[in-house]
Amino acid sequence: MLATKEMRLIQFFLISIVMLLAACSDKAVNSPYIQDQAEQNTLFTAFTQRSPKYLDPASSYSTDETPFTYSIYEPLYGYHYLKRPYELEGRTAQAVVHPYYVDAQGKRLPDDAPSHQIAESVYEITLKPGVLFQPHPAFAQDEKGNYVYYPMPEAALENAYAITDFKAVGTRELTAHDYVYALRRLASPRVISPIYAFFTDYIVGYKDYGEQLRELNQALPDEEWLDLRDYAFSGVEAIDDHTLRIRIYGKYPQFSYWLAMTFTAPIPWEADRFYHQPKMDQHDLSLNTWPVGTGPYMLTESIRNRRHVLTRNPNFRGDPYPCEGEPGDEAAGLLADCGQPTPFIDQVVFTLEKESVPLLGKFLQGYYDIPQVERGDYGVAMTVAAEDSPDKAALYKERGLDLRTLAESQLYYFGFNWLDPVVGGGDTPEQAQKNRYLRQAISIAFDWEQYVTIFQNDQGLVAHGPLPPGVRGYVAPPEGLNPVVYEPNQGHAQRRPIDQARALLAKAGYPNGRDAKTGAPLILYFDSAGGMGASASVDWMRRQLAQLGVQLEVRATDYNRFQEKMQRGVAQLFMWGWVADYPDAENFLFLLYGPHARAQGGGENATNYHSAEYDALFEKMRFLDDGPEKDRVIADMVAVVQNDAPWMFGYIPNSGGVYQEWVYNAKPSQMVRNALQYLRIDPQLRVQKQAMWNQPVWWPLWGLLILIAVGLALVWRTIKQRDLKTIQKEH
């Protein structure tokens, strides 16, 4: 008989052979998925750095939170998934409504009433019937109608650290009262809300209501729930279960866009009460971690800084996929699912990837369907990589990747501080004109086409005014060219020659870059933040001004110091940007509105620009409904700032997406945040491609198998020889 050690050795060799043979399957052996998970109707994507901080819609205002909040919650309105320019449509509202107007005595006014007569705009919004909240323990009731988890039984919370640990769940229909409760809650001192202060300028009685809640909160212990159903105000009310009324001061047509943001998403009072119970925060149970909504998805797994899972909401009504879009959508296959109920995908899995290299590596292996849902820079970066490298271009083509980039609703500009005596508005009409010539000369000298080529890899557009594409009022060149900086040439916008810039500089009092009176060189100061002072882009700026004989000095600071200088209005030149909150011209044109000057009023007019003509046009435009008159006023405003040049309008960077070929209906957007609802995948194609792209190299293992077999034979031979000698000795 074989010795125990020898038997174990042979068993080890045999087990090794079996394992090696089992490994030689037709599936990818390096798959990060649980077995067969790739075959399921699940979309896989990543997040970086940290888990979303705020999933409470009252507090959430960060891009990385939007794939969750806009998939779980439903504001009254949303944006049509495919149409451009962006078009509002009802989500839980039956339609986007036009408000009616009343005067100071409450008398109803005609729709075309002058804005100065309008004391209030009244929005009466009808909800779709039958909209249900997701299953959630906050709604769970027993057979007697009592809430199962209010008050919370101590045993129920003992081992509950996820909402799925509560076995009993319930639901109910969405009502107008849930929107009322949500808007009341924004004013609560117990809630962090970045939008409350803004709304106090518009919603009737909102500021006083917030002060009332602060007084109430001071008299209540922290552990006692503040039931907002008991405290009303006139600006927001439910006429009945399916009709919401909101009153705002004056006329503000852009208010409808705010009703498409999750700040105004409904909050059921049951959820607010459920999460305010003792020890909930100790178990990390709150609306920030486990939201409650009516949207197509609900959060069913959440491991902080590791993994989050959205699962199809079984109570979702299945809104149909759109049947129309913009030109080119049908050819791109974006209308193939016309009328089909959404969402198409059962689950969306978000996994933490701390570094971009492994993230993109796994994407190229087919293990992520989209690198990051909310990020628009992956498509741009990979498009640039494909243009720079034939090998990467071939790889991306072989993998069938869908790469798309387009200019979106954002803009980077170079600002001239209007309070500065050299480049600003000037304290006399004569000085104002000279400073205008200087700004115009610099605007011609700065070759933004070259900047986009060098620093944006041609992934962007040069801006000709303060509006980007996708915003009403934007007119593409050559029709919309900036006539101060460009001239038309055979259907194109051509930058004016540098000689014209030099002539303007001389008219400004600085011939050849020197003061005409003193002969001193003209030195301008660029205030930068975040280490930009030594960057290649600043060297580029110096070269642009050198064409005029003008010198540029950099005053580099950290971002906090830079913000302070902007607040005090002491920066001379700076570069900044803006991303649209909503696709209306007002959201960009207010950046140059005089009363919003940063130094005087703390507003977003960072240049502190002031023009009586522009301000009057802005005050007219902001009260106009969309139409030809509004378009004319916008065009006049653009013309004013093109001539005054408080900005060099800079550039509009591209945004984009990259998707695996088995992902359908993808259309990149920075405005449509609930895109997960419309995506569809082909899991079988994904499995095939993963196996194809991750073929293991088996010959080293077969070599090892041969070595094991040889070793096994040697062991067997040694054992037989030993046994033979033993037998011979015994005889």
Side-chain angles (χ1 to χ4, degrees), residues 112-287:
D112 59 352
S115 58
H116 69 271
Q117 294 181 6
I118 298 172
E120 292 182 9
S121 299
V122 183
Y123 293 78
E124 290 192 356
I125 303 169
T126 303
L127 303 185
K128 296 174 182 177
V131 176
L132 297 177
F133 281 100
Q134 68 181 67
H136 194 274
F139 303 117
Q141 297 180 352
D142 61 22
E143 62 278 1
K144 296 181 180 180
N146 299 316
Y147 285 95
V148 174
Y149 297 114
Y150 190 86
M152 179 70 69
E154 187 173 340
L157 190 59
E158 184 178 355
N159 295 311
Y161 291 90
I163 210 65
T164 50
D165 292 332
F166 298 92
K167 303 307 178 185
V169 295
T171 187
R172 67 164 173 81
E173 185 181 14
L174 171 74
T175 72
H177 300 281
D178 299 309
Y179 286 97
V180 172
Y181 196 91
L183 286 164
R184 290 178 183 175
R185 189 168 170 271
L186 292 179
S188 171
R190 296 185 173 187
V191 175
I192 298 171
S193 178
I195 204 63
Y196 164 69
F198 174 83
F199 276 173
T200 59
D201 291 336
Y202 292 100
I203 299 178
V204 172
Y206 210 28
K207 185 176 182 180
D208 291 340
Y209 181 68
E211 293 174 355
Q212 176 191 0
L213 292 185
R214 277 191 289 276
E215 292 176 2
L216 285 167
N217 186 59
Q218 290 175 356
L220 284 177
D222 290 342
E223 63 273 9
E224 184 174 340
W225 175 50
L226 178 58
D227 187 355
L228 298 176
R229 292 176 298 171
D230 296 337
Y231 305 99
F233 73 108
S234 62
V236 180
E237 57 185 332
I239 298 175
D240 55 47
D241 282 352
H242 292 93
T243 310
L244 176 70
R245 177 185 289 154
I246 304 176
R247 298 162 52 205
I248 68 168
Y249 296 116
K251 183 179 181 181
Y252 181 51
Q254 293 78 18
F255 185 74
S256 292
Y257 292 112
W258 292 99
L259 299 181
M261 301 179 73
T262 51
F263 290 124
T264 58
I267 295 292
W269 66 267
E270 296 96 331
D272 191 36
R273 184 187 66 176
F274 173 81
Y275 284 125
H276 196 75
Q277 296 184 81
K279 297 185 179 180
M280 278 288 191
D281 56 342
Q282 298 175 25
H283 289 242
D284 204 21
L285 295 168
S286 71
L287 282 171

Side-chain angles (χ1 to χ4, degrees), residues 79 166 172 189 226 248 263-264 272 323 335 375 447 470 472 492 516 544 610 619 631-632 654 674:
Y79 294 102
F166 298 92
R172 67 164 173 81
L226 178 58
I248 68 168
F263 290 124
T264 58
D272 191 36
C323 292
L335 300 182
R375 291 275 295 272
D447 188 343
R472 188 183 186 99
H492 299 282
Q544 307 308 298
H610 175 74
E619 288 163 4
D631 293 342
R632 286 192 294 271
N654 277 6
N674 60 321

